[in-house]
Amino acid sequence: MVSEADDNKFTWVIKDFSSLQSRKIYSDEFLIGGCKWCLIAYPKGSKVDSLSLYLGVADHESLPLGWTRNAKFSLKLVNQFSDKSSILREATDWYNQKTPSFGFTKFLPLAKLHSKDGGFLVNNELKIVAEVHVLQVIGEAEGSQESVQPMKKTKMNGYGTGNKTVDVNGFQVSTSQVAYVRCVFEKHPDFASKVRSNNQHLKSTYMNVLLELIETLCQLPENLSDDDLSEASAAVLYLSQVGFKVDWLEKKLEEVKEKKKKMYTGKAQLQRMEEELQNLTKKCSDLEDLVKKQNVALSFSDVV
């Protein structure tokens, strides 16, 4: 049975948690963004002394070759005494045949989990809330109509229906993408030499991911959020997994991250300097007032 999740959220209540003997347990399947998901837990940890929690693609065994899911998700271990003490972990990842599940191996140490006053295990029940936002889907289960959730249309990727396509080194790309794709191949002739898929639909999607990633890296670091950089890292990993040589993109992404880090450091230093300047300005003002008082001429009564 597949449950329809409300507001992209699914709640899993695990009863008799302390009595579970299975090394690995699964939640019911739930539907978000047109995809079937499930939660996976290791009550005694996956080779660690911590609760391990993962989000998995429930029907990955029935999906066609080349399927992928890009999702931003969070897993929340609810503290039943105080919601402020709940544990929340977030990530953005690409799911595929090699990695049908992602999550957190060290979610919470078992000692804290089983603490009587911890608030996580109450009446021997554990409560987990998953929130999933599906960013892109490639490949549907057998019996479903093949579909791709498109990325936003941008200057480079030109993604959309009705566009005329041109073959560039074995990739069918829209006319608005031709110049960009040719430029990539001129600078990195072998970057797609290990991409083995013959499915033009998938290859076009790969190229859209690549171009959107490049466009992200072209932006000023101050205009990129942490989520943007996280999604860019996930895109680099995904492109590498499907066969692209993207070491040059990895290097560029690290440069952008470093620039953003320096920008934050520079802003912090500037703020400290401004605060110091304000303090110095106030001290100067106080000294000027003191000098003015000391330079006042004495009156007749002061002398007499």
Side-chain angles (χ1 to χ4, degrees), residues 17-81:
F17 184 82
S18 300
S19 304
L20 295 172
Q21 299 299 316
S22 300
R23 175 175 172 270
K24 183 179 181 181
I25 60 175
Y26 297 83
S27 73
D28 291 337
E29 295 181 6
F30 55 94
L31 192 66
I32 292 180
C35 303
K36 294 179 182 179
W37 306 91
C38 68
L39 297 180
I40 306 165
Y42 291 77
K44 298 179 182 179
S46 177
K47 300 180 181 180
V48 293
D49 292 327
S50 297
L51 173 70
S52 303
L53 285 178
Y54 304 90
L55 173 70
V57 177
D59 57 347
H60 65 92
E61 292 182 350
S62 64
L63 293 175
L65 185 66
W67 70 268
T68 60
R69 305 281 187 268
N70 182 214
K72 178 180 179 181
F73 68 94
S74 67
L75 300 179
K76 177 180 178 181
L77 183 58
V78 178
N79 188 296
Q80 299 174 59
F81 291 164

Side-chain angles (χ1 to χ4, degrees), residues 12 46 53-54 59 86-87 90 98 105 114 144 153 165 214 223 225 239 246 272:
W12 185 21
S46 177
L53 285 178
Y54 304 90
D59 57 347
S86 297
I87 306 295
E90 299 176 304
K98 292 183 179 179
T105 302
H114 289 277
S144 300
K153 183 175 180 179
T165 61
I214 293 173
N223 294 335
S225 66
L239 290 170
V246 289
R272 284 199 300 271

Side-chain angles (χ1 to χ4, degrees), residues 7-19:
D7 298 324
N8 293 335
K9 292 183 179 181
F10 173 78
T11 300
W12 185 21
V13 177
I14 307 174
K15 298 182 179 181
D16 299 321
F17 184 82
S18 300
S19 304

Side-chain angles (χ1 to χ4, degrees), residues 80-221:
Q80 299 174 59
F81 291 164
S82 171
D83 191 55
K84 292 182 179 179
S85 299
S86 297
I87 306 295
L88 182 70
R89 310 266 190 235
E90 299 176 304
T92 301
D93 281 300
W94 287 88
Y95 294 78
N96 53 44
Q97 289 161 314
K98 292 183 179 179
T99 50
S101 64
F102 279 101
F104 310 92
T105 302
K106 296 182 179 180
F107 198 96
L108 182 69
L110 295 178
K112 290 186 178 181
L113 177 65
H114 289 277
S115 174
K116 292 182 179 179
D117 300 322
F120 296 105
L121 196 57
V122 177
N123 296 325
N124 209 16
E125 289 186 355
L126 201 68
K127 187 176 181 180
I128 301 164
V129 178
E131 183 172 352
V132 184
H133 295 275
V134 179
L135 305 177
Q136 188 175 9
V137 176
I138 302 173
E140 297 291 340
E142 293 181 5
S144 300
Q145 185 177 0
E146 179 72 16
S147 70
V148 173
Q149 288 188 358
M151 298 175 290
K152 59 190 177 188
K153 183 175 180 179
T154 63
K155 180 182 177 182
M156 281 190 194
N157 70 38
Y159 195 89
T161 57
N163 287 343
K164 292 183 179 179
T165 61
V166 177
D167 183 278
V168 179
N169 290 56
F171 289 83
Q172 291 294 323
V173 300
S174 67
T175 53
S176 61
Q177 297 174 318
V178 171
Y180 297 111
V181 175
R182 284 177 176 168
C183 181
V184 173
F185 273 105
E186 286 174 5
K187 292 188 175 183
H188 308 279
D190 299 326
F191 89 102
S193 61
K194 293 186 179 180
V195 177
R196 299 305 179 195
S197 176
N198 293 319
N199 186 320
Q200 284 297 337
H201 187 62
L202 289 178
K203 291 177 72 174
S204 295
T205 302
Y206 297 161
M207 193 57 67
N208 279 319
V209 173
L210 176 78
L211 293 178
E212 185 169 314
L213 172 60
I214 293 173
E215 189 163 11
T216 295
L217 297 178
C218 286
Q219 297 182 48
L220 293 173

